[in-house]
Amino acid sequence: MSRLTRLVLVLAITVLVSGPATAGPERTAAGGRLPATGLLLLPVRVDVYEVAPAGVTLLKAEWTHHAQDLVQAALDRVLAGRTAIVRYQPPADPERRDRQAQVMKVHALLRSAIVAHRYTDGSSLPSKARFEWSLGRGASVLHDDRAAAPYAMFVEMSEARLSRHFVTFGGLANEFTGSASIVDLAAGDIVWFNYERTGAVGTAPDALATVKRLLHDLPF
Amino acid sequence: MRRGAGGLALSLAATLVAACAAPRPGPGGVADLAPEERPADRSDEASLWLQADRREEQLEASPSVVRDPALQAYIRGVVCRIAGPHCPRIRAYVIRDPAFNASMAANGLMEIGTGLLLRLANEAQLAHVLGHEIGHYLRRHTMQRWEDFQAKAINLRAEVGSLAAFSRDQEREADQLGSELMVKSGYDPREAPRVWERFMAERGGRPTVASNIFLATHPPTAERVAALRNYAEKTVVTTGEPRIGRDDYVAHLRPARRWMLRDEVRRHQFASSETLLRFLIEAGDSLGELYFSEGELHRLRGALGDLTRSVAAYRRALEFPDAPPETQRSLGLVYLRLEDRAAARKTLARYLEDRPDAQDRALIENQIAELEAAR
Amino acid sequence: MTRSARLGALATCALLLGGCASPSRYRLVEPGARSTAGAYTVQPGLAWSSIGAGKVETWTIDGLSLESLRFFTGIAEGESILGGRAAEDRRARFSTSMTLPEVAEFVADSLFGRFPPRNVRPARFGGAPGFRFEVSYTTRDGVHREALVAATVLQKQLYVIAYTGTSLHHFARYRDEAEHVIDSVRLTGASARTQPQ
């Protein structure tokens, strides 16, 4: 092996180890340390699919409902004692509910944009040097008037499990993605965000480990 | 990730399409759904329901859902009339889609396109279409289609790609059930074949557009029309005078007609829109709207002779009190294209008088000023 | 690509980008004079990221689904704005015989379907007579959005710039900048000679 080849290999390994784009949590300057004055926890969305032969996926009712319970329990455990948790309750007023739903929808777009531009190879935005995304001041409509939590957290997970019929094909594995974001409800800024491509939500220990990994290095 | 997303789209399509492409029950059969029945959580059927629930969540916020309470209540009434004890489970959404579309998901989520509503002549025809879709639900066609698809995929059978394929027998089963429900609720079954006859006339022998799920899986065929006609002839409605319900239907659809016709014109499918308009003009309701739409079709196509034909249609529209104020705008712009400047100036000015809040007022005023300057 | 070339590319990447395995598909648009989509020269005041070229070039700051500035160039007789597969494409097509209000109607219909344009008004575009309008619309997944559109017909071709963003935040956030970019438009090349239609 020539010296050049060795150098190239070492550099290549550096690339592979350091991974694509960002790995681990992103945060704004304000998102380094947050006051533990309350966190509004939006309904956790966990979807578990079965990848059937021929690549067709089926959102499995039993797995999804089970995983939703496990992840919720794991979240409660991981967040316990860090900050006061306020659970989201849809308001009775339909107009306010619509405005809140709109904030959640735009958050879903932001989430995809952040994953695409910070966590995916080849899609970074050259004009965006710093982690800086916002829902704007309209996000304050999520404020629960009674509890007035100043921050909100969105958690979303999706797991695709291969059908047992896939054994014959081999080489494929279950897929997982999970994201968590913390929004400053006054300015609407996303102050903390994490995205993970490894995890599992089939059992209580798996769900706990997955939630711990996703929420490591929380700002409170 | 990519595979997951593609698969999701495919499986969603399966949820929506399969109802219209289900196989016959195998030997031993599958029992029809009971009114309060819910599939067990661990079954694939529960999963198909969950997927449809997610679709319904999306619809809650979708701009495509028509949220006119009067129209919703009317459709709901017809659904309940034919679905009987299943009525609470059938959730009918009117979807703003000018194509000829309807679908039924495993969980009773029914979507009815406005293009379909625009093409039906009366309540009995609506009852036929709703009954057909309810038939797919009762027979659990989505579930059967899914199981069939799975079995083929596991055995690597060649038909695996035919998720959206259909069999005539399956459609015939839904047709049959739809007609039975229709008759049981007192509707005239002779209206059923007319839905498809009219539609075949509009298509004029052109092949079905592949992107239209409803038509890809419900191809109207002469054979189906004959079977429906045959059934209607053999059947005696015992509950008094069979109901057709033309006046009720037209009255409930009238408030939506203006925008439904705009959506139809916007499809840019000249030949089928023209056939549809001819049919509606013959039926004789909202003639000002209809002639205006005819003018718009010609103006937007703008082929040889279209402009003079659009002028004739707009002028005809203006003979009726329901001609929209935009008739003057369109007529004025066509005059402009035909270089009849005096008529253009007069007609556009009239439009601005009739529509003081016109959103393109500044641009039209500018146009008029240019015409004045050129005098 | 041979094995060593691949390794070389990886190594170069590692050196240049410090861990970023492949260069971005997006190009940086720095503030100042900048030509775009081969037909326009504009002067952005902020840095944007650009993707696409030819008939449509798109700029964004936060991400395409949040806000974007699209430059459509030189749509000729018989062409549609958004293109599309020919076989099933039944979209409206541009015609040079359209009056200016009809061109506005065509642009609004092509980009926003049934959502009606507001305040359609004459406005100069790159020195030529044109128009602007606004639209509020809702995407299929229920997100409310706003749009500002500017266009002109020059030498039998249609030029359109469309700025869109979420109503909640992103449209308003960069609206001034988008208007500044639109105001700064100069049509380049042979099309630069302006002429009234």
PDB file of all heavy atoms in Angstrom, chain A residues 68-82:
ATOM      1  N   GLN A  68     -46.970   3.528  20.953  1.00  0.00           N
ATOM      2  CA  GLN A  68     -47.352   4.851  21.429  1.00  0.00           C
ATOM      3  C   GLN A  68     -47.348   4.882  22.964  1.00  0.00           C
ATOM      4  O   GLN A  68     -46.824   5.810  23.572  1.00  0.00           O
ATOM      5  CB  GLN A  68     -48.745   5.187  20.910  1.00  0.00           C
ATOM      6  CG  GLN A  68     -48.857   6.588  20.375  1.00  0.00           C
ATOM      7  CD  GLN A  68     -49.678   6.644  19.088  1.00  0.00           C
ATOM      8  OE1 GLN A  68     -50.480   5.747  18.804  1.00  0.00           O
ATOM      9  NE2 GLN A  68     -49.464   7.676  18.315  1.00  0.00           N
ATOM     10  N   ASP A  69     -47.894   3.834  23.576  1.00  0.00           N
ATOM     11  CA  ASP A  69     -47.912   3.745  25.044  1.00  0.00           C
ATOM     12  C   ASP A  69     -46.500   3.649  25.607  1.00  0.00           C
ATOM     13  O   ASP A  69     -46.162   4.298  26.596  1.00  0.00           O
ATOM     14  CB  ASP A  69     -48.729   2.515  25.491  1.00  0.00           C
ATOM     15  CG  ASP A  69     -50.216   2.667  25.161  1.00  0.00           C
ATOM     16  OD1 ASP A  69     -50.630   3.814  24.874  1.00  0.00           O
ATOM     17  OD2 ASP A  69     -50.939   1.657  25.169  1.00  0.00           O
ATOM     18  N   LEU A  70     -45.669   2.800  24.971  1.00  0.00           N
ATOM     19  CA  LEU A  70     -44.301   2.616  25.473  1.00  0.00           C
ATOM     20  C   LEU A  70     -43.500   3.906  25.397  1.00  0.00           C
ATOM     21  O   LEU A  70     -42.775   4.261  26.334  1.00  0.00           O
ATOM     22  CB  LEU A  70     -43.591   1.517  24.663  1.00  0.00           C
ATOM     23  CG  LEU A  70     -44.150   0.093  24.777  1.00  0.00           C
ATOM     24  CD1 LEU A  70     -43.353  -0.864  23.895  1.00  0.00           C
ATOM     25  CD2 LEU A  70     -44.107  -0.381  26.235  1.00  0.00           C
ATOM     26  N   VAL A  71     -43.620   4.600  24.276  1.00  0.00           N
ATOM     27  CA  VAL A  71     -42.839   5.830  24.093  1.00  0.00           C
ATOM     28  C   VAL A  71     -43.325   6.907  25.067  1.00  0.00           C
ATOM     29  O   VAL A  71     -42.523   7.632  25.664  1.00  0.00           O
ATOM     30  CB  VAL A  71     -42.919   6.322  22.627  1.00  0.00           C
ATOM     31  CG1 VAL A  71     -42.341   7.722  22.487  1.00  0.00           C
ATOM     32  CG2 VAL A  71     -42.179   5.358  21.707  1.00  0.00           C
ATOM     33  N   GLN A  72     -44.623   6.983  25.252  1.00  0.00           N
ATOM     34  CA  GLN A  72     -45.159   7.970  26.189  1.00  0.00           C
ATOM     35  C   GLN A  72     -44.623   7.709  27.604  1.00  0.00           C
ATOM     36  O   GLN A  72     -44.177   8.627  28.294  1.00  0.00           O
ATOM     37  CB  GLN A  72     -46.691   7.924  26.181  1.00  0.00           C
ATOM     38  CG  GLN A  72     -47.356   9.036  26.973  1.00  0.00           C
ATOM     39  CD  GLN A  72     -47.006  10.419  26.430  1.00  0.00           C
ATOM     40  OE1 GLN A  72     -47.305  10.731  25.281  1.00  0.00           O
ATOM     41  NE2 GLN A  72     -46.358  11.233  27.253  1.00  0.00           N
ATOM     42  N   ALA A  73     -44.634   6.429  28.003  1.00  0.00           N
ATOM     43  CA  ALA A  73     -44.127   6.080  29.337  1.00  0.00           C
ATOM     44  C   ALA A  73     -42.644   6.403  29.450  1.00  0.00           C
ATOM     45  O   ALA A  73     -42.178   6.951  30.460  1.00  0.00           O
ATOM     46  CB  ALA A  73     -44.382   4.598  29.615  1.00  0.00           C
ATOM     47  N   ALA A  74     -41.880   6.114  28.392  1.00  0.00           N
ATOM     48  CA  ALA A  74     -40.439   6.389  28.410  1.00  0.00           C
ATOM     49  C   ALA A  74     -40.177   7.886  28.497  1.00  0.00           C
ATOM     50  O   ALA A  74     -39.293   8.342  29.229  1.00  0.00           O
ATOM     51  CB  ALA A  74     -39.792   5.798  27.157  1.00  0.00           C
ATOM     52  N   LEU A  75     -40.962   8.665  27.766  1.00  0.00           N
ATOM     53  CA  LEU A  75     -40.813  10.124  27.803  1.00  0.00           C
ATOM     54  C   LEU A  75     -41.066  10.650  29.208  1.00  0.00           C
ATOM     55  O   LEU A  75     -40.310  11.492  29.719  1.00  0.00           O
ATOM     56  CB  LEU A  75     -41.820  10.771  26.852  1.00  0.00           C
ATOM     57  CG  LEU A  75     -41.377  11.059  25.430  1.00  0.00           C
ATOM     58  CD1 LEU A  75     -42.560  11.536  24.617  1.00  0.00           C
ATOM     59  CD2 LEU A  75     -40.278  12.110  25.420  1.00  0.00           C
ATOM     60  N   ASP A  76     -42.148  10.153  29.818  1.00  0.00           N
ATOM     61  CA  ASP A  76     -42.470  10.593  31.170  1.00  0.00           C
ATOM     62  C   ASP A  76     -41.299  10.317  32.102  1.00  0.00           C
ATOM     63  O   ASP A  76     -40.952  11.140  32.950  1.00  0.00           O
ATOM     64  CB  ASP A  76     -43.732   9.873  31.676  1.00  0.00           C
ATOM     65  CG  ASP A  76     -44.985  10.344  30.947  1.00  0.00           C
ATOM     66  OD1 ASP A  76     -44.918  11.411  30.290  1.00  0.00           O
ATOM     67  OD2 ASP A  76     -46.022   9.653  31.001  1.00  0.00           O
ATOM     68  N   ARG A  77     -40.666   9.153  31.922  1.00  0.00           N
ATOM     69  CA  ARG A  77     -39.555   8.787  32.793  1.00  0.00           C
ATOM     70  C   ARG A  77     -38.346   9.677  32.562  1.00  0.00           C
ATOM     71  O   ARG A  77     -37.711  10.152  33.497  1.00  0.00           O
ATOM     72  CB  ARG A  77     -39.186   7.321  32.530  1.00  0.00           C
ATOM     73  CG  ARG A  77     -39.119   6.528  33.826  1.00  0.00           C
ATOM     74  CD  ARG A  77     -38.850   5.093  33.543  1.00  0.00           C
ATOM     75  NE  ARG A  77     -37.514   4.738  33.991  1.00  0.00           N
ATOM     76  CZ  ARG A  77     -37.027   3.506  33.894  1.00  0.00           C
ATOM     77  NH1 ARG A  77     -37.758   2.545  33.359  1.00  0.00           N
ATOM     78  NH2 ARG A  77     -35.812   3.251  34.318  1.00  0.00           N
ATOM     79  N   VAL A  78     -38.026   9.900  31.277  1.00  0.00           N
ATOM     80  CA  VAL A  78     -36.827  10.670  30.957  1.00  0.00           C
ATOM     81  C   VAL A  78     -36.992  12.147  31.344  1.00  0.00           C
ATOM     82  O   VAL A  78     -36.041  12.802  31.778  1.00  0.00           O
ATOM     83  CB  VAL A  78     -36.484  10.525  29.458  1.00  0.00           C
ATOM     84  CG1 VAL A  78     -35.396  11.492  29.035  1.00  0.00           C
ATOM     85  CG2 VAL A  78     -36.065   9.091  29.156  1.00  0.00           C
ATOM     86  N   LEU A  79     -38.212  12.664  31.197  1.00  0.00           N
ATOM     87  CA  LEU A  79     -38.421  14.087  31.483  1.00  0.00           C
ATOM     88  C   LEU A  79     -38.702  14.361  32.957  1.00  0.00           C
ATOM     89  O   LEU A  79     -38.637  15.515  33.394  1.00  0.00           O
ATOM     90  CB  LEU A  79     -39.578  14.632  30.635  1.00  0.00           C
ATOM     91  CG  LEU A  79     -39.335  14.699  29.125  1.00  0.00           C
ATOM     92  CD1 LEU A  79     -40.602  15.101  28.388  1.00  0.00           C
ATOM     93  CD2 LEU A  79     -38.211  15.686  28.792  1.00  0.00           C
ATOM     94  N   ALA A  80     -38.995  13.291  33.721  1.00  0.00           N
ATOM     95  CA  ALA A  80     -39.382  13.482  35.126  1.00  0.00           C
ATOM     96  C   ALA A  80     -38.292  14.236  35.887  1.00  0.00           C
ATOM     97  O   ALA A  80     -37.111  13.928  35.769  1.00  0.00           O
ATOM     98  CB  ALA A  80     -39.645  12.130  35.781  1.00  0.00           C
ATOM     99  N   GLY A  81     -38.707  15.256  36.629  1.00  0.00           N
ATOM    100  CA  GLY A  81     -37.770  15.984  37.480  1.00  0.00           C
ATOM    101  C   GLY A  81     -36.979  17.058  36.774  1.00  0.00           C
ATOM    102  O   GLY A  81     -36.333  17.884  37.407  1.00  0.00           O
ATOM    103  N   ARG A  82     -36.985  17.081  35.432  1.00  0.00           N
ATOM    104  CA  ARG A  82     -36.199  18.094  34.724  1.00  0.00           C
ATOM    105  C   ARG A  82     -36.950  19.416  34.628  1.00  0.00           C
ATOM    106  O   ARG A  82     -36.367  20.484  34.744  1.00  0.00           O
ATOM    107  CB  ARG A  82     -35.891  17.634  33.300  1.00  0.00           C
ATOM    108  CG  ARG A  82     -34.882  16.533  33.204  1.00  0.00           C
ATOM    109  CD  ARG A  82     -34.782  16.131  31.747  1.00  0.00           C
ATOM    110  NE  ARG A  82     -33.912  14.998  31.534  1.00  0.00           N
ATOM    111  CZ  ARG A  82     -32.627  15.109  31.183  1.00  0.00           C
ATOM    112  NH1 ARG A  82     -32.081  16.294  31.049  1.00  0.00           N
ATOM    113  NH2 ARG A  82     -31.911  14.022  30.998  1.00  0.00           N
TER     114      ARG A  82
END
